Amino acid sequence: MRPVNVAILGLGTVGGGTYDILKMNAELIEKRTGRQIRVTKVLDKAVDKCLAKGLTEDMIVDDPEKIFADQEIDIVVEALGGIQPSTDFMLRAMKAGKGVVTPNKAAVAANFDELKKTAEENGVGFRFEACVGGGIPALTAIMEALSGNEFTEVMGILNGTTNYILTKMTDLGLDYDEVLKDAQAKGFAEADPTADVEGIDVANKLSILMALCFDKYVKPSDIPTKGISHITMADIEAAKAKGCKIKLIAKAAVKDGKLEYSVAPMEIENSHPLAGVSNEFNAIYVTGNAVDEVMFYGKGAGALPTGSAIVGDIIAIAKIL
Ligand code: HSE
């Protein structure tokens, strides 16, 4: 069988991690998929960086149309970030008959219905596991293994950068700005970390979780959202004195038939499982009327954990091509 050809839009932290995993695990991925999966084109202006990763010049393009027009490309990974032009690129790829995989929660949360509908209309795969919880396969579980449930609540720690900052402030007494820089250097933070520290990134992720769990789309900007930029060492010490840790919590729950939702820092008792979720780790709790409570835990940010979810989605699409 001919190989499955993949194009990556954006060879940054996450796009680069995806490329590395496809190379690192090529043999076992081919064995599991029954077909070779190879990256044939990359959209990125940083040619030197791409060459340093082992790409050849003919693989690197600066015009996305060269990817959409390439009949040989089966799957497009959109890892540029931002809402536009990323959304247009994904729609364009779908209309050109290509499956789409993305970690871009801002674009998916802003245009959830249109992206889903366009994928369906064009009969192509559209998967976005990496949008919520990095490497944690919670979305696939919600859409597949748990799909026999009526969900009543979803809550969790959904941002690696802020959890890393809060952990280092709590455990080591480190300064907010210093830890933020460290999180950026480790590739956890968004290009503009305001989205992380002000809770906007978590609101995007909660919007996607609500669409999947409750079949209700809520615009991220309509989710009451508070970030952690105002949290001081004094707040952290006050929480500690009460036997608590401050965590940035996303929560959506059905109460008296109404869906209530928010993103905000909360004091979590040390005995609660979420208090033990440290550094860039994320956790997602889902309550269903059949399964009861399920918790997912893993690395919510970083090149390889996020790339792991993307590669899983590529393989899932490749299997049904
Ligand atoms: N900036 C995000 C985070 C990346 O820190 O969680 C993963 O979505």
Side-chain angles (χ1 to χ4, degrees):
M1 259 211 256
R2 90 166 170 82
V4 174
N5 295 328
V6 175
I8 301 179
L9 312 184
L11 209 69
T13 303
V14 173
T18 303
Y19 180 77
D20 292 342
I21 296 167
L22 286 171
K23 256 175 86 170
M24 176 171 80
N25 294 338
E27 220 172 286
L28 70 87
I29 289 171
E30 178 172 356
K31 212 162 138 200
R32 287 179 186 156
T33 316
R35 291 172 73 174
Q36 187 193 356
I37 298 183
R38 59 178 194 189
V39 175
T40 55
K41 277 201 169 64
V42 161
L43 176 80
D44 204 299
K45 287 195 171 71
V47 175
D48 287 348
K49 179 189 68 187
C50 296
L51 293 175
K53 267 198 173 294
L55 278 85
T56 50
E57 269 182 34
D58 57 309
M59 294 166 74
I60 309 161
V61 299
D62 59 4
D63 176 5
E65 287 307 323
K66 289 194 179 135
I67 288 174
F68 307 139
D70 186 336
Q71 303 287 328
E72 299 291 306
I73 290 173
D74 304 290
I75 298 171
V76 171
V77 176
E78 185 284 303
L80 293 166
I83 296 174
Q84 286 296 5
S86 306
T87 301
D88 284 346
F89 288 173
M90 286 192 269
L91 296 171
R92 188 77 188 76
M94 289 171 183
K95 288 174 188 166
K98 304 179 190 318
V100 169
V101 176
T102 187
N104 187 339
K105 54 265 156 150
V108 173
N111 298 292
F112 187 78
D113 290 336
E114 189 182 6
L115 286 163
K116 261 194 81 180
K117 192 169 141 252
T118 307
E120 279 160 19
E121 282 171 0
N122 290 279
V124 296
F126 171 49
R127 298 183 69 105
F128 44 91
E129 178 61 72
C131 284
V132 180
I136 306 171
L139 300 190
T140 305
I142 287 166
M143 288 186 284
E144 294 175 11
L146 298 174
S147 60
N149 284 264
E150 181 179 333
F151 297 106
T152 50
E153 184 174 302
V154 56
M155 79 177 277
I157 294 173
L158 304 181
N159 184 270
T161 303
T162 46
N163 204 42
Y164 188 80
I165 295 172
L166 291 171
T167 302
K168 298 293 185 208
M169 287 175 79
T170 306
D171 294 354
L172 305 174
L174 294 180
D175 171 71
Y176 176 98
D177 292 319
E178 186 190 332
V179 191
L180 172 58
K181 277 194 200 120
D182 186 19
Q184 285 175 294
K186 288 191 155 73
F188 304 155
E190 299 301 298
D192 175 2
T194 314
D196 294 296
V197 298
E198 298 305 346
I200 298 159
D201 178 72
V202 177
N204 287 332
K205 291 167 178 168
L206 185 60
S207 167
I208 295 170
L209 278 172
M210 286 195 288
L212 300 184
C213 290
F214 306 110
D215 204 18
K216 181 174 167 64
Y217 172 70
V218 180
K219 253 200 324 201
S221 55
D222 288 341
I223 298 174
T225 299
K226 276 197 202 121
I228 65 154
S229 60
H230 63 286
I231 300 286
T232 61
M233 276 313 293
D235 297 323
I236 286 182
E237 291 305 329
K240 263 190 200 174
K242 288 185 246 172
C244 295
K245 283 184 183 152
I246 298 181
K247 294 288 181 190
L248 183 59
I249 302 292
K251 187 170 176 176
V254 181
K255 285 227 174 78
D256 303 323
K258 199 171 161 262
L259 187 61
E260 294 179 357
Y261 39 85
S262 65
V263 173
M266 288 181 193
E267 289 182 345
I268 303 289
E269 282 186 17
N270 287 338
S271 56
H272 192 286
L274 285 182
V277 178
S278 301
N279 295 312
E280 76 270 34
F281 281 81
N282 283 190
I284 301 159
Y285 260 95
V286 183
T287 309
N289 66 349
V291 72
D292 205 356
E293 289 178 17
V294 180
M295 179 173 160
F296 302 92
Y297 170 82
K299 284 194 174 169
L304 293 184
T306 312
S308 162
I310 294 174
V311 171
D313 279 351
I314 293 172
I315 294 172
I317 294 179
K319 280 183 174 168
I320 53 162
L321 280 176

